[in-house]
């Protein structure tokens, strides 16, 4: 009860601060809208209309809410319940990074079949501090700093039972319609998907476990081992974490291909041994041969395509060594024309890599033991206010001009 009373006082201070911030900030037009339902994000079943639920006191919860295309508002969402559910924890969010998917939802209103049809809290790269612990939670306590894995699968799904829960079609993933994200003052989340940060690891580093997980999963899928030469196509944020993950796994030489020399310079700072500047009119075969020219005539044992276009996949297949693996991470083109005869006669495995599974403990270990350093990727930081949210998303959306790699909100 003492912890719960302490949380109530803490919540009151946060609400007061958020109210002042909204009044003073500028940059995102305020609009009068109907209340939205900020559902407690939990794998536990929600009560039905027939269940008897006693009314409980609640507290306010400010959030960045996407209402439609180019309509992002900083507003008070309906409060979370006064008591956190059994098996879950309430987290005061401290750091949230912007992913390219967040920008895409803002600009386009959809990604594939996932369409924003109702107001949705944005954000999924997050970390925070536990402010309340639900019944039955043993491994976390109030005050623990945690990294938050954003996807909660269904325990009855076949892929979940096999340990590949990222393939669960019913997974509840932050800021993937219709599920709310984590760019809010507080969220409720299953405790099993909250990971205590090691000593000395910051909330920002905890939030960066999400993109780092994508790179770790890709390297695992490619079975990168000590001494394996790796080529990474695309030096954006996912390319950078793939480079760091490959090096952490003991890769030999790592070459990176990009059309921007500035991106290649950052990639070298992140651990790439060789940067290859490709031209927009350069053929995929020519790019593939250039990769071989720097990594040896046999080519790299693993190629990680973080762009996902037809041309980049053609280059990946052309450069990959016989018996090697091409890992497709990027989702640039839905349909591609590829030389599958070349892949078959060279026994090149084409492997998909989607999100991640079982990566957060390893990511935290890599951070703790200084095997990776994600902080140089954070190029811009903004506060949690109306103006800060607007400026942060504008900076991320205009990354070609602002040179933003990772935009981070500090709450």
């Amino acid at each position: 009860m003492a912890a719960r009373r302490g949380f109530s006082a803490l919540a009151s201070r946060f609400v007061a601060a958020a109210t002042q911030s909204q009044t003073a900030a500028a940059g995102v037009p305020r609009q009068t809208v109907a209340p939205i339902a900020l559902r407690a994000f939990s794998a536990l079943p929600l009560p039905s209309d027939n269940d008897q639920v006693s009314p409980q006191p609640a507290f306010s919860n400010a959030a960045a809410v996407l209402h439609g295309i180019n309509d992002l508002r900083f507003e008070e969402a309906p409060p979370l319940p006064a008591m956190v559910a059994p098996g879950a924890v309430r987290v005061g969010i401290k750091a949230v990074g912007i992913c390219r998917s967040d920008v895409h939802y803002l600009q386009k209103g959809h990604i594939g079949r996932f369409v924003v049809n109702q107001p949705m809290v944005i954000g999924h790269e997050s970390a925070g501090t536990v402010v309340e612990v639900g019944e039955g939670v043993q491994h976390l306590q109030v005050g623990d700093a945690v990294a938050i894995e954003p996807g909660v699968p269904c325990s009855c799904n076949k892929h979940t039972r096999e340990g590949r829960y990222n393939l669960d079609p019913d997974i509840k993933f932050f800021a993937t319609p219709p599920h709310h994200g984590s760019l809010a003052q507080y969220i409720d989340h299953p405790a099993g998907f909250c990971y205590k940060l090691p000593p000395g690891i910051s909330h920002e580093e905890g939030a960066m476990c999400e993109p780092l997980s994508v790179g770790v999963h890709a390297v695992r899928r490619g079975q990168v081992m000590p001494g394996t030469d790796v080529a990474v196509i695309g030096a954006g944020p996912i390319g950078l974490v793939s480079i760091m993950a490959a090096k952490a796994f003991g890769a030999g030489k790592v070459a990176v291909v990009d059309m921007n020399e500035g991106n290649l310079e950052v990639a070298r700072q992140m651990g790439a041994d060789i940067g290859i500047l490709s031209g927009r009119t350069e053929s995929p075969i020519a790019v593939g041969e250039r990769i071989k020219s720097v990594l040896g005539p046999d080519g790299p044992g693993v190629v990680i395509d973080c762009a996902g276009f037809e041309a980049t996949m053609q280059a990946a297949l052309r450069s990959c060594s016989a018996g090697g693996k091409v890992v497709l991470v990027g989702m640039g083109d839905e349909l591609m024309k590829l030389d599958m005869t070349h892949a078959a006669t060279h026994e090149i495995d084409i492997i998909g890599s989607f999100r991640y599974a079982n990566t957060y403990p390893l990511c935290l270990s890599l951070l703790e033991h200084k095997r990776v350093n994600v902080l140089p990727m954070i190029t811009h930081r903004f506060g949690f206010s109306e103006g800060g949210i607007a400026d942060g998303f504008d900076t991320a959306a205009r990354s070609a001009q602002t040179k933003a790699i990772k935009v981070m909100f500090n709450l």
Side-chain angles (χ1 to χ4, degrees):
M1 291 301 293
R4 193 163 289 139
R5 286 195 298 270
F7 169 68
S8 299
L10 178 64
S12 298
R13 292 198 298 271
F14 268 81
V15 172
T19 303
Q20 294 171 3
S21 176
Q22 292 178 58
T23 303
V28 178
R30 294 299 303 271
Q31 302 182 35
T32 302
V33 297
I36 65 170
L38 184 60
R39 185 174 68 191
F41 196 83
S42 172
L44 301 173
L46 295 174
S48 69
D49 293 336
N50 296 324
D51 291 337
Q52 297 297 317
V53 180
S54 300
Q56 296 175 329
F59 62 92
S60 297
N61 188 23
V65 183
L66 180 62
H67 284 255
I69 295 175
N70 294 323
D71 186 5
L72 183 64
R73 310 177 197 177
F74 183 73
E75 61 189 22
E76 284 292 319
L80 296 173
M83 294 180 62
V84 68
V89 292
R90 181 157 295 163
V91 181
I93 299 299
K94 297 298 183 183
V96 180
I98 296 180
C99 175
R100 190 64 197 174
S101 65
D102 297 319
V103 175
H104 195 93
Y105 278 123
L106 175 62
Q107 295 178 331
K108 304 296 183 181
H110 72 93
I111 295 178
R113 64 183 178 89
F114 298 103
V115 182
V116 180
N117 290 321
Q118 58 190 16
M120 179 185 78
V121 178
I122 203 76
H124 63 269
E125 303 176 359
S126 49
T129 298
V130 174
V131 295
E132 188 174 349
V133 176
E135 181 182 351
V137 176
Q138 302 293 327
H139 70 289
L140 293 174
Q141 59 185 3
V142 172
D144 285 343
V146 293
I148 306 166
E149 184 172 355
V152 180
C154 173
S155 60
C156 62
N157 181 266
K158 171 180 178 291
H159 300 297
T160 300
R161 295 197 303 270
E162 293 174 348
R164 302 180 69 180
Y165 56 84
N166 57 312
L167 303 181
D168 175 8
D170 298 319
I171 193 170
K172 297 178 180 179
F173 201 92
F174 281 166
T176 299
H179 306 296
H180 289 299
S182 56
L183 188 47
Q185 285 181 290
Y186 301 99
I187 64 166
D188 286 358
H189 204 60
F193 290 88
C194 296
Y195 304 86
K196 187 175 179 178
L197 300 183
I201 300 302
S202 67
H203 285 106
E204 287 189 338
E205 290 170 295
M208 289 295 292
C209 281
E210 202 284 332
L212 180 59
S213 286
V214 177
V216 166
H217 187 65
V219 168
R220 279 177 169 174
R221 293 284 288 153
Q223 298 180 353
V224 173
M225 297 181 291
T228 303
D229 287 339
V230 176
V232 175
I233 300 180
I238 298 304
L240 297 179
V241 292
S242 296
I243 291 167
M244 287 190 284
K247 281 295 188 179
F249 275 57
K253 290 186 290 185
V254 175
V256 59
V257 182
D258 200 275
M259 294 187 294
N260 184 294
E261 180 58 42
N263 291 350
L264 292 177
E265 180 57 34
V266 175
R268 295 185 188 99
Q269 296 172 11
M270 295 292 101
D273 300 290
I274 304 163
I276 300 173
L277 181 65
S278 63
R280 292 187 179 276
T281 60
E282 193 170 8
S283 73
I285 292 178
V287 174
E289 292 303 319
R290 290 180 64 193
I291 293 174
K292 284 187 175 182
S293 72
V294 298
L295 291 180
D298 291 334
V302 176
V303 184
I304 303 175
D305 183 0
C306 297
F309 293 100
E310 180 177 294
T312 58
M313 279 297 288
Q314 290 174 345
L317 284 171
R318 180 60 60 172
S319 66
C320 188
S321 69
K325 303 179 189 300
V326 172
V327 182
L328 176 59
V329 181
M331 298 183 182
D333 287 333
E334 291 187 11
L335 301 176
M336 305 180 189
K337 184 178 180 180
L338 304 176
D339 188 350
M340 299 307 294
T341 299
H342 177 83
T345 57
H346 291 77
E347 293 194 352
I348 297 174
D349 297 336
I350 300 176
I351 300 170
S353 183
F354 180 61
R355 290 177 179 162
Y356 43 81
N358 306 303
T359 52
Y360 267 64
L362 176 57
C363 289
L364 290 173
S365 178
L366 293 175
L367 289 167
E368 181 182 16
H369 295 95
K370 311 302 181 185
R371 300 293 302 277
V372 298
N373 181 12
V374 295
L375 290 178
M377 290 181 59
I378 305 174
T379 53
H380 297 75
R381 293 174 170 87
F382 295 89
F384 187 60
S385 66
E386 194 170 46
I389 296 297
D391 292 343
F393 272 87
D394 177 69
T395 299
R398 296 187 303 107
S399 59
Q401 293 77 37
T402 62
K403 308 301 180 184
I405 298 175
K406 179 59 63 178
V407 174
M408 185 71 64
F409 293 110
N410 296 121
L411 283 70

